Amino acid sequence: MNRPCQKRILIGEDDQSILKMTTLRLEHEGYAVVTATNGEEVLHQVKEAPSVDLILIDIKMPRLNGYQVCQQLKSQPDTAGIPVIIFSASESQLQHLANRCIEVGASDWIKKPFRTKDLLEKIHRAFGEEGNGDV
Amino acid sequence: MSVKRLQRLEILLAGLVTVAIFAGAVSTWWLWDVSRRVPYGVWVAASLMISLMVTSAGLVVLSRVLGQLRRLESAIRQMHATNRLLTIPDANYPNVKDVVLALNDLVAAIESRQQRQHERLVELEQAKAVFDQLQEYQEGFLETINHQVRTPLTSITEGIELLRDGAVGTISHEQGDIIHMLDQNAQRLEQLVEEALDLSLMTSGRRPLYRKPDNVQELLRQVVAAWATTSQQRIVTEFSAELPLVYMDSSAIRDVMDHVMRNALRHAPERSQITVGARGSNETAIEIWVQDQGPGMSSEQLAKLFLPFVHVHTPYAPGSQGSGLGLALCRQIIERHHGTIHATSQPGHGMVVAFTLPLASPAFLFAEACRDAREDAEYGRGRYGVVLATGADDPGSLAEAERALREHTHEGDRFVWLSPDLLAIVAVTDRLGLEAMTRRLRDVLGQAHLNVRLASAIFPEDGESPARLLEIARSRFHENGQGARNE
């Protein structure tokens, strides 16, 4: 198994089962995982754990949605550089979704239900393009 | 003639009748020499009285007729003012009575027609309400499939993969078998959900197609290569010489090919041959087909093959393995590409599923650009225009002109090369907009010192079909002559 020097990933997802499964998978792949179940908690966790290397967030979350969280992260100089991948179950307007993700500064997005290999591919790509390699 | 004018005419007529009768009586007295028996004064008085009586009687009749005509006129004016149909009061005098009866018949006929129209309108409104309700249900269905079904499905497939990969501990052989079965079923469920969603989006037109001239041969090679690695049948190809480009959304056609291949492999025996072929169907389309060596299907089975939720059972696929949606989805995709799909078979001789795709010929691309513009125009003023550009002496200048023209047109304007020296721009605009656009583009070309001529035509005034618009715009090159040249 490839353990890429314990990079830290923050997952913001209000569905407990997806949160649990994704956490187990990422830990199995060698990442350290921090979790949050709403938008405000994601922002709080980023402040508390500044060494977060990547953030995965769902669009539909209580309090602050994924887009709003992403916008706030990108507006702060100390968090603007953290790559963000957005989860979405929305199918009907994929082009709109893609445009919106670019607009709020997300690195990528993935459609639910996603296959683990697809998510890992996007995570590797985000680190490859934007990760600083520090842990 | 109005009733008021008739009133004046009535007085004039009465005067003339009185004078005529009086003059007649006096003349008779004079000519017949009745003065011996009747004194002159009596004769004049009697003549005057008779003429006045006749005139009075005439006036009474006339005024009653006119009174009835006035009521008729008033009723018609009232109908006009209130926009409501009224029954006109009956009349005594035969001719007027006939007119009133005829008008009342007309009013009754119009009322009856209006009633039928109203009933039809009510029926249409009810049908629209049902349609809106169905659309709402469909939206709700899509939303449910999207979020309420796919989200838990994510957890199920993720959980199965974690168990299978041993991420939460090692598993026994028996546990592995169960996990494998769960995995197979989760994949089937996932496929069903995806296909149901795809079919709904495709049927409702909510899934956009990104069509462009594309290489179908390359796509077919990729499909064959992908399926060859997993199938137990031998897949061979049968393409005619270099195939021309077709106008397609390659991702959607890839889905079509995957469904058709899956269907062929499901119904064919192991180690049999599957042939994937493509050839020019006619001058406007190519045909792609997949032939298997399975048991074939009866005409009853073929008739239902492209309907949703239909499972066709054959000896090699006796159970309901698929979602029953794949080929229905294929039909939707192909029809939205302006193609056709059909299957032919004879029991015992395999089956051929074939579909056509339009060639990306300049004529098709131009017609397609016009069709799209017309659809877009329906939301506006219902007009679109065509601007043709031709490099007068040097066709090479036209390629250079295209860059300049693209910079000075809207993003949604469609550029189609009809031939190396003829470029068409199809834009949603009205006549004034088209004239302004053509003037602006002439200025742009003039400033760039490009010897390119422009001519335009507007839908629908200049022509309803793309071919007619093209013909009119072309003829204007000759009409405009040197006037259209940018120098």
CSV table of all heavy atoms in Angstrom, one decimal, chain B residues 26 193 368 372 471 487:
chain,number,residue,atom,x,y,z
B,26,VAL,N,-104.2,67.7,-60.1
B,26,VAL,CA,-104.5,68.9,-60.8
B,26,VAL,C,-104.5,68.7,-62.3
B,26,VAL,O,-105.3,69.2,-63.1
B,26,VAL,CB,-103.5,70.0,-60.3
B,26,VAL,CG1,-103.7,71.3,-61.2
B,26,VAL,CG2,-103.8,70.3,-58.9
B,193,VAL,N,-30.2,2.4,-11.8
B,193,VAL,CA,-30.4,3.8,-11.5
B,193,VAL,C,-29.9,4.7,-12.5
B,193,VAL,O,-30.5,5.6,-13.0
B,193,VAL,CB,-29.8,4.0,-10.1
B,193,VAL,CG1,-29.8,5.5,-9.8
B,193,VAL,CG2,-30.6,3.3,-9.0
B,368,GLU,N,-28.6,22.2,-39.7
B,368,GLU,CA,-28.6,22.0,-38.2
B,368,GLU,C,-28.5,23.4,-37.5
B,368,GLU,O,-29.2,23.7,-36.5
B,368,GLU,CB,-27.5,21.1,-37.8
B,368,GLU,CG,-27.6,20.5,-36.4
B,368,GLU,CD,-28.8,19.7,-36.2
B,368,GLU,OE1,-29.5,19.3,-37.1
B,368,GLU,OE2,-29.0,19.4,-35.0
B,372,ASP,N,-31.2,25.0,-35.1
B,372,ASP,CA,-30.9,25.4,-33.7
B,372,ASP,C,-31.3,26.9,-33.5
B,372,ASP,O,-31.9,27.3,-32.5
B,372,ASP,CB,-29.4,25.3,-33.4
B,372,ASP,CG,-29.1,23.8,-33.2
B,372,ASP,OD1,-30.0,23.0,-33.0
B,372,ASP,OD2,-27.9,23.5,-33.1
B,471,GLU,N,-30.1,30.2,-51.0
B,471,GLU,CA,-30.2,30.6,-52.4
B,471,GLU,C,-30.4,32.1,-52.5
B,471,GLU,O,-29.8,32.8,-53.4
B,471,GLU,CB,-31.5,29.8,-53.0
B,471,GLU,CG,-31.7,29.9,-54.4
B,471,GLU,CD,-33.0,29.2,-54.8
B,471,GLU,OE1,-33.4,28.2,-54.2
B,471,GLU,OE2,-33.7,29.7,-55.7
B,487,GLU,N,-13.6,47.3,-50.1
B,487,GLU,CA,-12.4,47.8,-50.7
B,487,GLU,C,-11.8,48.9,-49.9
B,487,GLU,O,-12.5,49.6,-49.2
B,487,GLU,CB,-12.6,48.2,-52.1
B,487,GLU,CG,-12.9,47.0,-53.0
B,487,GLU,CD,-13.4,47.4,-54.4
B,487,GLU,OE1,-13.8,48.5,-54.6
B,487,GLU,OE2,-13.4,46.5,-55.3
